[in-house]
């Protein structure tokens, strides 16, 4: 269980993260989503005790990370795959992690196989690894202590489509066995297929959170016309909140009939009018995060 309550981090006069609260339950994968610079990594670093919060609290199994005895046996963390020791081999990295945490060294070979690093790759120095190989090694390192919680920051970076599918399968299996996964990404499609819940952060603040169905319920309609400016003016004139998506379409938090009547009254010709959510969470994600600043 991960619980984050009103976390804030301020650097000088600027808020990197402001009043962030959410929870991740056992048996679930939580997708922590937002554009680059939204505050995802800062939030994860605060949860893991690497960055002290200005305000608020974060606990894992009811305890701040820094107070967990031998945390590697309870929480597997991958925040930066590039931080691994370049002069050691992949096998050495895992063996040293097992020794440091008191984990079973016999699991090293099994984990290397699990993450797709065969003996030849495991014997290479990490400095010769591609980013994708480092990500695989980082996941294995997070799993060495047989933790019940995984906290992962952009773990799909550098993975090819096959690797992303493998990662999803691994994380889904971990959660299905009762584990808790917090998975950060700026790419919605990487996590949409595996996450049970989503927390969307933009400009350092939580923009939305919930299951897919909860996020998409009541999101309104998508509308597109021959003249976007005229259509936007018609919607504003009717008091209908409309958010442009950058492609000439608008997401409108109103019934389709109200949108159609507003367009007809203004003489705006429509080319498209449909319920939002037809493209999954992507439309909603763009609308929530577009143009947000701390």
């Amino acid at each position: 269980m991960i619980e984050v309550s009103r976390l804030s981090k301020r650097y000088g006069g600027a808020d990197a993260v402001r009043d962030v609260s959410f929870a991740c339950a056992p048996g679930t994968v939580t997708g922590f989503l937002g554009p680059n610079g939204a505050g995802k990594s800062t939030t994860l670093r605060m949860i893991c005790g690497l960055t002290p919060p200005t305000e608020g609290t974060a606990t894992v199994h009811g305890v701040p990370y820094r107070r967990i005895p031998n945390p590697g046996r309870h929480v597997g963390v991958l925040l930066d795959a590039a931080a691994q020791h370049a002069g050691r081999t992949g096998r050495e990295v895992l063996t040293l992690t097992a020794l440091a945490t008191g984990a079973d060294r016999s699991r090293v070979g099994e984990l290397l196989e699990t993450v797709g690093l065969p003996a030849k790759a495991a014997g290479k120095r990490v400095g010769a690894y591609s980013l994708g190989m480092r990500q695989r090694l980082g996941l294995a390192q997070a799993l060495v202590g047989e933790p019940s919680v995984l906290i992962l920051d952009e773990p799909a970076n550098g993975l090819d489509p096959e690797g992303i599918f493998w990662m999803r399968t691994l994380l889904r299996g971990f959660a299905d066995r009762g584990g808790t996964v917090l998975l950060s990404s700026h790419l919605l499609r990487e996590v949409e297929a595996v996450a049970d819940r989503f927390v969307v952060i933009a400009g350092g603040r939580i923009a939305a959170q919930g299951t897919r169905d909860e996020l998409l319920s009541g999101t309104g309609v998508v509308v597109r016309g021959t003249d976007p400016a005229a259509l936007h003016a018609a919607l504003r004139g009717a008091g209908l909140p409309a958010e442009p998506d950058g492609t000439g379409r608008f997401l409108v938090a109103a019934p389709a009939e109200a949108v159609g009547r507003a367009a007809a009254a203004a003489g705006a010709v429509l080319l498209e009018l449909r319920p939002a959510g037809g493209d999954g969470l992507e439309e909603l994600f763009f609308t929530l995060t577009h143009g947000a600043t701390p």
Side-chain angles (χ1 to χ4, degrees), residues 88-92 112 117-125 129 133:
R88 296 195 177 109
T89 68
R91 184 177 296 277
E92 288 171 344
L112 287 166
L117 289 175
K120 184 176 180 180
K124 287 184 177 180
R125 296 189 187 281
Y129 279 17
M133 292 172 69

Side-chain angles (χ1 to χ4, degrees), residues 160-171:
D160 58 20
E162 180 181 355
I164 292 173
F165 178 79
W166 157 81
M167 182 195 71
R168 289 172 178 165
T169 303
L170 184 149
L171 298 182

Side-chain angles (χ1 to χ4, degrees), residues 3-267:
E3 293 181 286
V4 175
S5 178
R6 309 201 70 175
L7 269 189
S8 296
K9 182 61 182 178
R10 189 172 302 109
Y11 294 100
D15 288 320
V17 173
R18 189 183 309 171
D19 201 27
V20 165
S21 298
F22 62 88
C24 308
T28 65
V29 177
T30 299
F32 190 37
L33 301 167
N36 288 328
K40 301 186 304 298
S41 294
T42 301
T43 300
L44 296 190
R45 288 180 62 83
M46 287 192 285
I47 295 172
C48 296
L50 296 173
T51 297
T54 304
E55 297 173 6
T57 60
T59 60
V60 182
H61 295 320
V63 181
Y65 183 92
R66 288 190 174 192
R67 287 171 44 196
I68 300 173
N70 196 3
R73 299 305 302 270
H74 305 277
V75 188
V77 176
L78 174 56
L79 299 185
D80 183 2
Q84 297 155 353
H85 195 299
R88 296 195 177 109
T89 68
R91 184 177 296 277
E92 288 171 344
V93 167
L94 292 193
T95 301
L96 287 170
T97 302
L99 288 170
T101 59
D104 186 355
R105 290 174 57 188
S106 67
R107 298 188 67 240
V108 169
E110 174 190 338
L111 283 170
L112 287 166
E113 183 177 344
T114 297
V115 301
L117 289 175
K120 184 176 180 180
K124 287 184 177 180
R125 296 189 187 281
V126 173
Y129 279 17
S130 66
L131 177 56
M133 292 172 69
R134 286 177 179 253
Q135 294 284 24
R136 289 174 182 268
L137 179 62
L139 280 169
Q141 193 173 15
L143 292 166
V144 164
E146 299 183 83
S148 59
V149 174
L150 288 177
I151 299 175
L152 311 172
D153 193 7
E154 304 279 3
N157 277 355
L159 294 179
D160 58 20
E162 180 181 355
I164 292 173
F165 178 79
W166 157 81
M167 182 195 71
R168 289 172 178 165
T169 303
L170 184 149
L171 298 182
R172 185 68 264 165
F174 182 89
D176 289 345
R177 293 189 296 273
T180 303
V181 180
L182 176 57
L183 170 63
S184 163
S185 180
H186 68 284
L187 299 174
L188 171 64
R189 292 194 182 277
E190 285 182 358
V191 298
E192 187 175 2
V194 69
D196 303 289
R197 294 184 60 82
F198 303 87
V199 177
V200 181
I201 187 171
R205 296 183 175 187
I206 298 299
Q209 58 180 303
T211 65
R212 184 182 188 278
D213 289 343
E214 287 170 347
L215 291 178
L216 291 177
S217 64
T219 55
V221 298
V222 173
V223 62
R224 179 169 61 97
T226 56
D227 185 340
L231 176 57
H232 199 191
L235 295 171
R236 286 200 313 266
L240 303 179
E243 292 287 341
D245 71 353
T247 68
R249 294 178 175 85
F250 297 91
L251 180 64
V252 188
E257 180 180 349
V259 172
R261 288 184 178 276

